[in-house]
Amino acid sequence: MFRISKEKTPAGDQPKAIAKLVEGLKSGMTNQTLHGATGTGKTFTIANVIQQVQKPTLVIAHNKTLAAQLAQEFRDMFPENEVHYFVSYYDYFQPEAYMPASDTYIEKESMINEEIDRLRHASTQALLTRRDVIIVASVSCIYGLGSPAQYQKVLKTFHVGAEANRAELLRDFVNMYFERVAGDLKPGSFRSVGNTIEVMPTSERMIYRMNFRGPTIASITKIDPITRALVGDIEMFHLFPAKHFVTPEDEKDRAMKEIKELMDKQVKKFKKEGKLIEAERIKRRTEQDLAMIREIGYCNGIENYSMHFDGRSPGDAPSTLMSYFPRKEDGSPDFLTVIDESHVTLPQLSAMYAGDQARKKTLVDFGFRLPTAKDNRPLNYDEFLQNVGDMIYVSATPGKIEKAHADGERGQIVDQIIRPTGLVDPEISVHGVIEAGAYPGQIAHVIAESEKVIARNARVLVTTLTKKMAEDLTDFLKKKGIKTEYIHSDVKTVDRIDILTKFRKGIFDCLVGVNLLREGLDLPEVELVAILDADKQGFLRSETALIQTIGRAARNVAGRVVLYADVMTDSLNAAIGETNRRREIQTAYNTKHGITPKTIIKEIKDIASSMRTEHDNAVDDLVRLDITRFQKDPEKVFAEKRAEMEAAVAELDFETAALVRDQIHALEAFEATSKKKPRTKKAAE
């Protein structure tokens, strides 16, 4: 059962909104919109809806940073339930592409974040084993994922007392895409030592040790991989495959035969059309891929053959994260879908398919991929709607789609304007960009206003139109003595969250960014929002974008916004008018009920720490303990650490050895940056 922590109860407009949304779901409404002003507690409202309807829930956000924040909020509200984070596992991704005009082929390049991959597996495994699950995902959830039926078919369960052939078991692990190692275990790996087999599932950082007595599993022990402490003995555990794309051997043979037949057909087609280069290209590429799959079970770009391995027909929708959610007996989705910041997320969801198909078509036409590569794709918008449950759109500025659904019998818009804290929308002032004929007037004004705010230990947000402007302005403000950092889409996922956390803690005072500072970011310490070039009408200065950016100052009782503009555009007039309309409603409510507005007090924490490995955190903690001793006698500390590492290796305790090894590396790095003289050559060796 979903159970919300009892730390707070609904207030302001929340009780009314919760009742309307729940009533709508029970009456069969499939498209509802929660139209909530910034800071009115829309996430808490949705949490209460989830608790009342008791359904697994998918929450889709439009970027990783917002998804991380939402995941942390739902974890705090549902401490007894499963809340998971599902986003793209690429830190860097360059898709495969071909540009005919310049005859340039771009190979796919990617860098996978292993920790995010682990969290993705934790998400799908939770969905297949229980119902009290909330998955907070980015729009990457509409991309192809391995079939849940095949994924679950390969699932293995191990019991104490069960008989198992160890040699066959090791082969099974390999067929489940687990990596055999002799040293450190990481998620998705295993090792065999003596009469024991140790395996670390992809979804958690915990070692499961199976001790054998002959052909029988005598005991199963959970072990902390860092401390090597015994967590306890268990009777059984489930082990899912290490990859989402899993294909049994018989299915693999069928798929490879299909691929070969399609290749021959495509080669004949190209030759008939006089495209000899394309014919040779597709033949060579496909034969090489098939050879790799036959020998090692995998090839670079294997996802382009996913239709064959899944057994789908051309045009069929691929399996996605939504395929792992429960279904009713008639096959329809049996879960709740929440589209956060829907005015941004819905356009993203609807645009992905067309862009992907355009790129794939070029690759197919020029012989780089087989036609079925186009079936390795995200869902189109109609398929997405068919694969999700009842939807609740959440936005302070609903778009055309949400408003259109509200006009039908199966939709409605639920307003949530009054904040539980009594906070009203921020005051807005407009400041001219040009002062005495000098364009830099807006920057000088930003500096002057920021200094006032910083003196009160509050924070400043500054929004620019481009990444380059954000970076240049950050450098300029630093030179003026204002502690400033920037954030935009080129900053890595975990680093973005770190920056926001440091900003809230006051490690720096001013944060500069582009549109990442808009929807959903919860920063109650912000007292001033400065919007540069507010009259440059466009995507980032539309009515919707301005209202969202203005809302960043709505969580602080002293919040205010400065718009830098020389011309009052339609967007500016609309945004200011809507903000003033809300202020009047909120002020009247406060007066009627005798409410004194209060700044939101919110604990500062983030998901970033859980996304780093426990190993790294342990290294950092232990190095901090050793620094004082190290500064007094570095040679002695290095000698002790080397002895610890060697002793651990002798006992086959590879986790401890790796931990000590990384402590040595960290201490060496500390020494290299300190002013102490370097170690002797002998000690270094």
Side-chain angles (χ1 to χ4, degrees):
M1 298 290 289
F2 285 105
R3 291 188 180 87
I4 295 180
S5 170
K6 299 298 183 183
E7 291 182 4
K8 61 178 181 178
T9 55
D13 270 356
Q14 291 172 346
K16 180 177 66 176
I18 293 165
K20 282 189 175 181
L21 290 170
V22 171
E23 182 183 348
L25 289 170
K26 290 180 178 178
S27 64
M29 288 188 178
T30 55
N31 293 276
Q32 301 183 86
T33 298
L34 176 59
H35 180 200
T38 300
T40 56
K42 297 187 289 293
T43 304
F44 185 59
T45 296
I46 293 298
N48 278 272
V49 172
I50 293 172
Q51 180 177 248
Q52 291 199 32
V53 300
Q54 289 292 322
K55 282 190 174 184
T57 302
L58 170 63
V59 180
I60 305 178
H62 65 89
N63 66 53
K64 293 180 178 181
T65 306
L66 179 54
Q69 177 178 302
L70 286 169
Q72 187 61 59
E73 289 179 357
F74 279 115
R75 282 175 181 169
D76 290 343
M77 287 185 276
F78 291 101
E80 299 175 13
N81 306 113
E82 292 284 317
V83 178
H84 292 279
Y85 178 65
F86 187 99
V87 299
S88 169
Y89 54 26
Y90 295 116
D91 277 336
Y92 169 76
F93 182 68
Q94 169 62 59
E96 182 183 27
Y98 177 66
M99 294 180 287
S102 58
D103 189 27
T104 303
Y105 172 71
I106 302 172
E107 187 79 46
K108 171 187 166 184
E109 290 184 49
S110 62
M111 184 181 297
I112 292 178
N113 184 310
E114 291 184 357
E115 189 64 14
I116 294 180
D117 187 34
R118 183 182 71 79
L119 295 174
R120 286 165 63 94
H121 279 280
S123 299
T124 52
Q125 292 176 22
L127 287 170
L128 293 175
T129 54
R130 53 196 296 171
R131 281 187 62 88
D132 63 329
V133 180
I134 298 172
I135 306 294
V136 182
S138 66
V139 292
S140 64
C141 67
I142 70 170
Y143 276 83
L145 198 63
S147 163
Q150 298 290 2
Y151 186 70
Q152 203 163 14
K153 189 183 293 184
V154 183
L155 166 70
K156 286 193 173 296
T157 303
F158 299 95
H159 297 267
V160 173
E163 291 193 1
N165 184 297
R166 291 181 67 254
E168 289 182 4
L169 195 56
L170 298 180
R171 283 195 293 272
D172 287 343
F173 284 157
V174 173
N175 291 333
M176 293 170 71
Y177 301 103
F178 278 79
E179 178 187 1
R180 185 168 186 173
V181 298
D184 299 347
L185 281 178
K186 60 182 180 180
S189 65
F190 73 98
R191 68 185 176 206
S192 177
V193 181
N195 291 324
T196 67
I197 294 178
E198 294 183 339
V199 60
M200 185 180 288
T202 49
S203 60
E204 59 181 315
R205 292 193 172 275
M206 188 64 65
I207 295 173
Y208 288 81
R209 173 188 286 171
M210 291 181 283
N211 297 291
F212 285 81
R213 187 179 297 115
T216 304
I217 300 176
S219 64
I220 302 175
T221 307
K222 289 178 70 172
I223 302 173
D224 186 297
I226 303 300
T227 64
R228 300 295 294 179
L230 301 182
V231 177
D233 291 329
I234 58 176
E235 288 299 312
M236 61 169 286
F237 75 100
H238 300 292
L239 190 66
F240 283 87
K243 294 184 183 296
H244 281 110
F245 292 93
V246 180
T247 308
E249 282 300 319
D250 57 338
E251 291 290 314
K252 186 184 295 184
D253 292 339
R254 176 197 52 76
M256 292 177 68
K257 183 179 178 181
E258 283 183 9
I259 294 168
K260 174 68 167 56
E261 290 173 352
L262 182 60
M263 178 198 73
D264 293 338
K265 183 178 178 181
Q266 192 72 351
V267 168
K268 289 179 182 178
K269 175 180 177 294
F270 280 137
K271 286 182 177 180
K272 185 177 180 180
E273 295 171 352
K275 297 180 178 179
L276 301 182
I277 293 176
E278 286 81 354
E280 178 62 25
R281 183 182 286 154
I282 193 62
K283 185 173 187 294
R284 184 176 300 179
R285 158 63 69 86
T286 308
E287 286 181 343
Q288 181 181 357
D289 287 349
L290 288 173
M292 291 290 289
I293 295 171
R294 189 177 297 109
E295 294 300 321
I296 64 174
Y298 182 81
C299 74
N300 189 29
I302 193 172
E303 65 275 6
N304 289 290
Y305 304 109
S306 61
M307 191 203 82
H308 302 283
F309 289 108
D310 290 348
R312 287 183 282 132
S313 300
D316 285 355
S319 296
T320 64
L321 175 65
M322 280 79 81
S323 306
Y324 288 76
F325 277 86
R327 303 267 163 171
K328 299 176 184 176
E329 290 185 4
D330 63 1
S332 61
D334 187 22
F335 61 97
L336 177 65
T337 305
V338 177
I339 312 292
D340 197 65
E341 304 299 347
S342 56
H343 61 284
V344 178
T345 308
L346 286 175
Q348 282 191 13
L349 289 167
S350 60
M352 285 184 169
Y353 174 78
D356 180 82
Q357 290 298 289
R359 179 175 59 83
K360 295 277 179 59
K361 184 178 185 301
T362 304
L363 289 167
V364 171
D365 289 348
F366 287 86
F368 289 95
R369 287 293 172 194
L370 293 174
T372 47
K374 291 190 286 187
D375 285 286
N376 166 45
R377 60 177 177 82
L379 299 177
N380 61 44
Y381 191 64
D382 288 339
E383 290 170 339
F384 167 73
L385 295 178
Q386 294 166 11
N387 279 274
V388 294
D390 295 338
M391 287 201 284
I392 298 178
Y393 308 111
V394 179
S395 176
T397 51
K400 293 180 181 179
I401 297 176
E402 301 93 300
K403 291 176 181 176
H405 282 309
D407 293 334
E409 294 182 1
R410 305 192 70 183
Q412 66 172 334
I413 291 182
V414 177
D415 285 325
Q416 186 170 296
I417 295 175
I418 306 301
R419 298 182 175 90
T421 55
L423 283 170
V424 299
D425 277 33
E427 292 185 359
I428 298 176
S429 60
V430 180
H431 185 81
V433 172
I434 302 174
E435 287 185 351
Y439 179 80
Q442 61 179 339
I443 304 303
H445 191 267
V446 166
I447 293 172
E449 293 298 305
S450 297
E451 288 174 343
K452 297 176 187 176
V453 171
I454 294 168
R456 294 193 292 271
N457 195 32
R459 313 283 183 273
V460 180
L461 285 183
V462 182
T463 64
T464 65
L465 287 174
T466 67
K467 299 177 200 174
K468 185 70 166 59
M469 289 171 64
E471 294 173 8
D472 290 346
L473 180 57
T474 297
D475 291 339
F476 184 79
L477 293 177
K478 283 181 177 178
K479 291 175 183 176
K480 293 296 182 181
I482 297 176
K483 290 185 286 186
T484 309
E485 297 294 341
Y486 68 83
I487 185 172
H488 54 58
S489 58
D490 289 345
V491 178
K492 290 182 179 179
T493 307
V494 177
D495 292 338
R496 292 181 215 170
I497 303 165
D498 268 345
I499 289 169
L500 291 171
T501 303
K502 290 175 181 177
F503 179 56
R504 291 194 61 202
K505 289 180 177 178
I507 295 174
F508 62 94
D509 304 305
C510 179
L511 181 60
V512 182
V514 192
N515 70 333
L516 280 179
L517 301 183
R518 285 168 42 210
E519 292 85 356
L521 292 182
D522 192 352
L523 306 168
E525 295 78 15
V526 171
E527 187 175 301
L528 172 66
V529 173
I531 303 177
L532 303 184
D533 301 310
D535 53 0
K536 301 296 188 290
Q537 191 146 336
F539 170 67
L540 293 177
R541 298 296 181 263
S542 64
E543 175 189 347
T544 296
L546 288 170
I547 290 175
Q548 289 286 350
T549 309
I550 289 167
R552 297 315 105 210
R555 289 178 168 84
N556 191 298
V557 71
R560 60 192 180 93
V561 178
V562 179
L563 300 167
Y564 292 91
D566 290 318
V567 179
M568 292 303 295
T569 63
D570 291 341
S571 295
L572 280 171
N573 286 322
I576 293 171
E578 173 62 14
T579 302
N580 289 337
R581 181 187 75 86
R582 292 176 180 177
R583 278 179 62 86
E584 290 177 7
I585 295 173
Q586 294 156 351
T587 302
Y589 182 89
N590 288 347
T591 301
K592 180 180 178 180
H593 295 86
I595 296 173
T596 301
K598 298 177 183 177
T599 297
I600 293 173
I601 304 298
K602 188 168 185 178
E603 185 180 356
I604 301 174
K605 57 184 176 179
D606 62 76
I607 196 175
S609 59
S610 67
M611 291 169 62
R612 292 191 190 87
T613 66
E614 295 177 22
H615 178 97
D616 291 342
N617 291 335
V619 169
D620 292 343
D621 291 342
L622 291 171
V623 166
R624 279 193 290 271
L625 293 174
D626 286 329
I627 286 297
T628 303
R629 288 197 310 117
F630 179 77
Q631 289 174 322
K632 292 179 180 178
D633 192 345
E635 301 294 345
K636 182 178 179 181
V637 173
F638 276 118
E640 290 175 354
K641 292 296 175 187
R642 284 196 300 274
E644 285 180 40
M645 183 172 65
E646 291 167 2
V649 170
E651 297 175 6
L652 301 181
D653 186 355
F654 299 109
E655 278 75 17
T656 300
L659 185 64
V660 178
R661 175 202 63 200
D662 290 347
Q663 289 172 17
I664 293 172
H665 292 332
L667 290 170
E668 286 174 339
F670 173 79
E671 182 187 41
T673 57
S674 69
K675 295 182 180 179
K676 290 184 176 294
K677 64 181 182 179
R679 293 184 291 129
T680 63
K681 181 179 179 182
K682 180 179 179 182
E685 291 172 351

